[in-house]
């Protein structure tokens, strides 16, 4: 059986169960494991000898938190990450993750309505980690992201997107044509319906789904190799060959 692709409703339900009494995970735990998987994916595809400078683009929600964790791990892996946050998150967990990056001496581009700081950063970047919007994104793209996203897309740099490429609908994909077109995707927990036909290299991460949860929702997840936090998914099958909710 093929791995199950998730609708927005089921993805949200699984997240809630992971952090419920039955799942027993804290948000900190899930972000740490997800961010580590993101960093490992980028390091697997883009070796630091050729792509040392990483621009980690973080949104204000949980997706951005995953990006901050990934930035810290990339720094520990020997990369040179720089954090770009058009709109920093306000929650305490976000501020703590930012402080952890500060303590690793990872530079952060100060928030600005102007695009010059981002344009300057892109000139000294080898690869972009996109952790701006998650599966709860709803169009239209609002300021300050509406100008930043096209700039990232037109940069010509390779892009690694976290869970769902920023600007994509979780079920319809890039149906409006406003989202990023990444070279690599790291789905978390299980892949989403909107990326069923994604043509780039596709990895699955977040090695925290219990057997109980996997069986309950019929996820049919692939086996992770050894101690790796990620597993590469095969080329996409014909549409309709996997279960759809």
């Amino acid at each position: 059986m093929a791995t199950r692709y998730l609708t927005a409703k089921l993805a949200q339900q699984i997240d809630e169960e992971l952090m419920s009494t039955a799942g027993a995970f804290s948000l900190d735990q899930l972000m740490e494991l997800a961010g580590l998987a993101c960093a490992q994916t980028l390091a697997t595809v883009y070796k630091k000898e050729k792509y040392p400078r990483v621009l980690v683009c973080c949104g204000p929600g949980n997706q951005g938190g995953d990006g901050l964790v990934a930035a810290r791990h990339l720094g520990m892996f020997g990369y040179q990450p720089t954090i770009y946050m058009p709109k920093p998150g306000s929650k305490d967990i976000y501020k703590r993750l930012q402080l952890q990056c500060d303590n690793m001496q990872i530079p952060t581009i100060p928030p600005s309505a102007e695009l010059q700081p981002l344009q300057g950063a892109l000139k000294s970047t080898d690869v972009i980690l996109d952790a701006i919007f998650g599966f709860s994104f709803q169009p239209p793209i609002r300021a300050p992201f509406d100008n930043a996203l096209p700039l990232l897309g037109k940069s010509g740099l390779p892009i690694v997107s976290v869970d769902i490429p920023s600007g994509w609908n979780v079920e319809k994909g890039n149906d409006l044509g406003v989202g990023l077109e990444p070279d690599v995707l790291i789905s978390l927990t299980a892949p989403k319906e909107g990326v069923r036909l994604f043509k780039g290299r596709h990895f699955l991460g977040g090695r925290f789904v219990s057997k109980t949860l996997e069986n309950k929702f019929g996820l049919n997840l692939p086996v992770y190799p050894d101690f790796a936090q990620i597993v590469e998914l095969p080329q996409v099958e014909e549409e309709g060959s996997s279960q759809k909710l």
Side-chain angles (χ1 to χ4, degrees), residues 166-178:
S166 288
W168 287 35
N169 180 283
V170 69
E171 294 174 8
K172 299 177 182 178
N174 196 17
D175 60 330
L176 299 179
V178 298

Side-chain angles (χ1 to χ4, degrees), residues 95 113 193 203 216 240:
K95 294 177 180 179
E193 276 291 344
F203 293 81
K216 178 177 179 178

Side-chain angles (χ1 to χ4, degrees), residues 172-186:
K172 299 177 182 178
N174 196 17
D175 60 330
L176 299 179
V178 298
L180 296 178
E181 293 287 355
D183 305 271
V184 179
L185 175 66
I186 168 67

